Amino acid sequence: MNPEHLLWFIPLLPFAGFVLNGLIGRRLPRTGVAAIALLFSALPALLVADLWQHMLSTGTLAITANSAPWIQVTGFVVRFAFTVDHLTLIMLSIITGVGFLIHLYSVGYMAEDQGYWRFFAYLNLFLFFMLVLVLAQNFLLLFVGWEGVGLASYLLIGFYWQKPAANAAARKAFVVNRVGDFGFLLAMFLLIRNFGTLDFTGIFSNISAHPGMQGGILTAIALLLVVGAAGKSAQIPLYVWLPDAMEGPTPVSALIHAATMVTAGIYLVARAHVLFDRSPFTLGVIAIIGAATALFAATIGMVQHDIKRVLAYSTISQLGYMFLGCGVAAYSAAVFHLMTHAFFKALLFLAAGSVIHALSGEQDMRAMGGLRKRIPTTFWTMTAGVIAIAGIPPFSGFFSKDEILYRVWDSSINPGLSKLLWAVGLVTAGLTSFYMFRLWFKTFFGAERFDEHALGATSHAAHAPHAHTAGTNAHAAEDEHDEGQAHSHGVHESPWVMLGPLVILAVLSVVGGWVGVPQALAGSNHFEHFLDPVFAATTHAENAINADQVSHGLERGLAVVSVLVALFGWFVADLFYRQRPGTLGARAAGTPLYRLVAHKYYIDELYNGLIVLPIAGLTRLVLGGLIEGGIVNGSGKLAAFATQAASSGTRRMQSGNIRSYAGWLAAGAAIVILVMTYTVLAHTAIR
């Protein structure tokens, strides 16, 4: 098949899966639903593999597939066009590869859920829109995928639609992302106004052809794009939707956090790097946002008790690292961490789902402990993920995180700021190691803190009322609880349809970073060289490459410091959560600082008081008072008054009094005579 044709099939296949399961999935057996979902998520992965083989064997740097003009208005033309270069290839591989594993895992995880067909239809839809996003050849088509991903996430986060918390979380994710999307829209308007096109090639070649084009309008456009990227990738101040997104089923969390939605902002900055390179101010803003978000989220992750929420704040923090990498124009390092993060974060979420499955729905780590011998496969695979994210060599997270930290230290964009940003990144690395090993020790070590005989009963009792209340509803058969694990009793290992993806992701979490081992550590950094055709033309990237060639000693020294910090985090977690369990929490629990962090710095309350409540009050005043009460109800009252007045006058005319009738008849005749007289006089005057 012609490679250009493959580009069309890659996104269309999961869309076909969505349509089939959406239309007939309800009437199919579960094996049929799963077969459709798996087939239409596996085929795109095979097509991407074929693209890899073709592009590498022929030395092709980019493939583009164009349609007829999609929009054509007075010289402004937008085509429905897809393109693949080396950056897109990596994104496609992550999305289809990790996405398929999550689909496979979901077959076992959602086995007991009555919304089985609906869940897989949404998963395929999510995959479709994410593939459109990364394949797009212009900003407008990218925006279509961008919005579609937002829609799919809304559907999946609110999958248990009978739960008020799930509905609230879905709305929150949708609204917060619309704030970011507003910035993206304004950026597109400015691009049209200044470049007359939204095609990547047209805009980037125009910028490259004008070396003197710096700052100014480019800074304005870049800052607006950052607003959109911050919303999608959950960065300060638009990160608040991501922790609440845990209300969705756990495979959804894995998909959103690892392979799809939250990576979109990083991809946008990397894709538009030509534009960002011309605005050092915007790069500085991105670096500061990334460093602040990484540290801020890591501190909150230290005190969370819900195993999924620890991972959620961990995702926000790791995305901060990627933003930090983009902020110093180390785009390949940011994408490298995006890839390794996809491996170990998908693994961690799916392993957490296996733990939750084993404990029949329990997510609080205070009710876990001692699970390493009860669910050994889950334990060992999750161990690989924990060590990888902690940044301990030779696991994947070490190489990608260390690459970002080194690029930050060596950055020439904001040299006065780079050392401070590096220090923040280093402290964050220590905190990451601490809270991830805290999760590991609390979950798998120490005494068992759960009542095995009571597992599942609580969940059944909690959900029973909903089953009755939903009895007459069209969706009555759909359980609202997560993951179907509430139907099981006793601690048990997950089936192999769930463990298989864990094992594959664990292997990738160990070896996935070896493609990016830098020269300073006796590697050749294949990953960066693979992306050279996309990024190497930039001035900042060239500087970074040159620095890499002359600063190997410095890089090795920084790597040693980074590893020591990660090991210190492990040691502290071991001391307080394995050797002396409970002592740190007992000492810190009553302090103001602990309460501040435990309440997530009261940011949700602050947003609620400063933004949500005033807007809700203003909305009630404008829509409820002025429009509904004044215009809608007022016009109704005015019509009623006019009708009443007219009927009252008519009633007086029909009084039955002969003299009254004669009076009204005379008045009417007088009016007719006056009108006729006026008409004749006016006609005469005109002639």
Side-chain angles (χ1 to χ4, degrees), residues 215-534:
I217 190 64
L218 295 183
T219 296
I221 295 170
L223 286 174
L224 288 169
L225 288 177
V226 169
V227 175
K232 224 53 160 184
S233 291
Q235 297 294 288
I236 290 175
L238 301 177
Y239 72 93
V240 291
W241 66 271
L242 193 56
D244 289 3
M246 297 300 99
E247 292 294 335
T250 299
V252 172
S253 304
L255 194 62
I256 291 177
H257 286 244
T260 56
M261 185 170 176
V262 297
T263 63
I266 311 300
Y267 173 76
L268 175 64
V269 176
R271 172 57 67 197
H273 68 94
V274 177
L275 198 156
F276 285 92
D277 283 339
R278 297 298 181 88
S279 176
F281 174 77
T282 306
L283 287 177
V285 170
I286 294 174
I288 292 171
I289 289 176
T293 305
L295 179 62
F296 181 80
T299 58
I300 299 177
M302 293 169 59
V303 298
Q304 295 297 306
H305 299 297
D306 186 309
I307 189 170
K308 288 176 64 177
R309 287 192 178 267
V310 174
L311 298 179
Y313 282 103
S314 164
T315 298
I316 297 171
S317 182
Q318 296 303 306
L319 290 167
Y321 269 111
M322 298 174 212
F323 250 62
L324 181 57
C326 289
V328 295
Y331 306 108
S332 60
V335 176
F336 185 28
H337 196 55
L338 186 156
M339 183 188 75
T340 61
H341 178 263
F343 298 152
F344 57 70
K345 188 49 63 68
L347 168 64
L348 289 168
F349 265 110
L350 297 186
S354 186
V355 171
I356 295 168
H357 180 87
L359 297 178
S360 303
E362 182 59 70
Q363 297 185 191
D364 193 328
M365 293 187 296
R366 291 171 294 189
M368 297 182 182
L371 287 171
R372 68 184 186 282
K373 294 181 180 177
R374 307 289 292 272
I375 47 175
T377 306
T378 301
F379 166 69
W380 285 112
T381 53
M382 195 166 194
T383 300
V386 169
I387 297 176
I389 194 174
I392 295 173
F395 288 66
S396 60
F398 162 73
F399 296 106
S400 56
K401 188 184 296 183
D402 194 63
E403 183 74 5
I404 289 177
L405 289 177
Y406 171 62
R407 297 297 187 197
V408 172
W409 174 280
D410 202 50
S411 172
S412 60
I413 298 176
N414 293 288
L417 192 62
S418 61
K419 303 303 183 287
L420 175 62
L421 295 175
W422 173 83
V424 173
L426 187 69
V427 171
T428 303
L431 297 180
T432 303
S433 178
F434 169 76
Y435 69 70
M436 286 309 303
F437 280 107
R438 170 180 175 264
L439 177 151
W440 191 58
F441 286 123
K442 287 175 72 74
T443 303
F444 295 107
F445 291 83
E448 296 178 351
R449 297 184 293 275
F450 50 85
D451 182 357
E452 187 167 358
H453 300 291
L455 293 176
T458 305
S459 298
H460 281 301
H463 294 292
H466 301 293
H468 293 299
T469 56
T472 57
N473 193 290
H475 299 278
E478 298 185 3
D479 292 340
E480 69 175 46
H481 57 266
D482 193 3
E483 302 104 13
Q485 72 280 17
H487 295 284
S488 301
H489 297 274
V491 178
H492 54 282
E493 185 61 282
S494 300
W496 272 102
V497 72
M498 294 168 61
L499 295 179
L502 292 186
V503 172
I504 296 171
L505 288 168
V507 172
L508 290 172
S509 298
V510 176
V511 306
W514 297 358
V515 296
V517 178
Q519 295 173 0
L521 300 179
S524 55
N525 208 340
H526 288 298
F527 190 87
E528 184 172 285
H529 295 315
F530 182 74
L531 288 174
D532 277 349
V534 182

Side-chain angles (χ1 to χ4, degrees), residues 549-625:
Q549 293 172 348
V550 299
S551 305
H552 291 171
L554 173 64
E555 186 169 4
R556 281 192 288 271
L558 293 177
V560 170
V561 173
S562 176
V563 172
L564 289 176
V565 168
L567 291 175
F568 180 72
W570 184 349
F571 168 75
V572 175
D574 178 69
L575 179 65
F576 290 109
Y577 293 98
R578 190 180 66 84
Q579 299 181 36
R580 304 173 188 173
T583 54
L584 182 61
R587 290 178 183 174
T591 63
L593 179 61
Y594 183 90
R595 287 198 296 272
L596 178 67
V597 178
H599 285 89
K600 298 166 285 185
Y601 299 97
Y602 297 97
I603 296 298
D604 281 328
E605 289 80 358
L606 188 67
Y607 280 8
N608 197 47
L610 294 181
I611 299 174
V612 178
L613 290 179
I615 290 178
L618 184 64
T619 302
R620 279 193 291 271
L621 176 66
V622 174
L623 296 182

Side-chain angles (χ1 to χ4, degrees), residues 25-269:
R26 184 192 290 269
R27 292 183 286 276
L28 291 176
R30 287 170 185 259
T31 51
V33 171
I36 290 173
L38 292 177
L39 177 66
F40 287 101
S41 58
L43 286 176
L46 296 176
L47 295 182
V48 171
D50 191 51
L51 269 180
W52 268 92
Q53 190 276 330
H54 171 78
M55 292 181 70
L56 292 183
S57 62
T58 61
T60 305
L61 296 180
I63 300 173
T64 300
N66 275 309
S67 73
W70 172 25
I71 299 172
Q72 189 168 14
V73 182
T74 59
F76 174 72
V77 179
V78 177
R79 295 181 182 277
F80 202 95
F82 289 150
T83 189
V84 170
D85 59 6
H86 286 192
L87 173 61
T88 311
L89 263 185
I90 290 172
M91 294 299 296
L92 288 175
S93 303
I94 295 170
I95 295 165
T96 57
V98 177
F100 171 73
L101 292 176
I102 293 171
H103 275 69
L104 182 61
Y105 176 94
S106 302
V107 172
Y109 196 75
M110 301 298 288
E112 302 294 332
D113 200 289
Q114 295 301 313
Y116 197 72
W117 62 275
R118 188 164 56 92
F119 178 79
F120 280 105
Y122 292 165
L123 276 192
N124 276 170
L125 182 67
F126 207 152
L127 212 56
F128 161 71
F129 279 122
M130 194 63 199
L131 291 172
V132 169
L133 192 156
V134 298
L135 281 167
Q137 198 270 334
N138 56 65
F139 280 101
L140 188 58
L141 188 55
L142 189 153
F143 189 72
V144 171
W146 188 275
E147 287 301 299
V149 167
L151 169 66
S153 68
Y154 170 79
L155 295 173
L156 283 168
I157 294 170
F159 181 75
Y160 300 117
W161 53 272
Q162 292 169 312
K163 291 172 63 178
N167 283 325
R171 282 198 305 273
K172 190 174 185 179
F174 192 82
V175 171
V176 173
N177 273 281
R178 297 296 78 73
V179 175
D181 296 349
F182 184 65
F184 195 163
L185 272 174
L186 292 179
M188 284 199 294
F189 294 150
L190 288 179
L191 286 169
I192 295 172
R193 174 70 178 78
N194 291 278
F195 296 96
T197 180
L198 288 174
D199 284 355
F200 294 147
T201 307
I203 294 170
F204 300 154
S205 61
N206 194 330
I207 295 174
S208 300
H210 299 86
M213 189 183 290
Q214 298 276 343
I217 190 64
L218 295 183
T219 296
I221 295 170
L223 286 174
L224 288 169
L225 288 177
V226 169
V227 175
K232 224 53 160 184
S233 291
Q235 297 294 288
I236 290 175
L238 301 177
Y239 72 93
V240 291
W241 66 271
L242 193 56
D244 289 3
M246 297 300 99
E247 292 294 335
T250 299
V252 172
S253 304
L255 194 62
I256 291 177
H257 286 244
T260 56
M261 185 170 176
V262 297
T263 63
I266 311 300
Y267 173 76
L268 175 64
V269 176

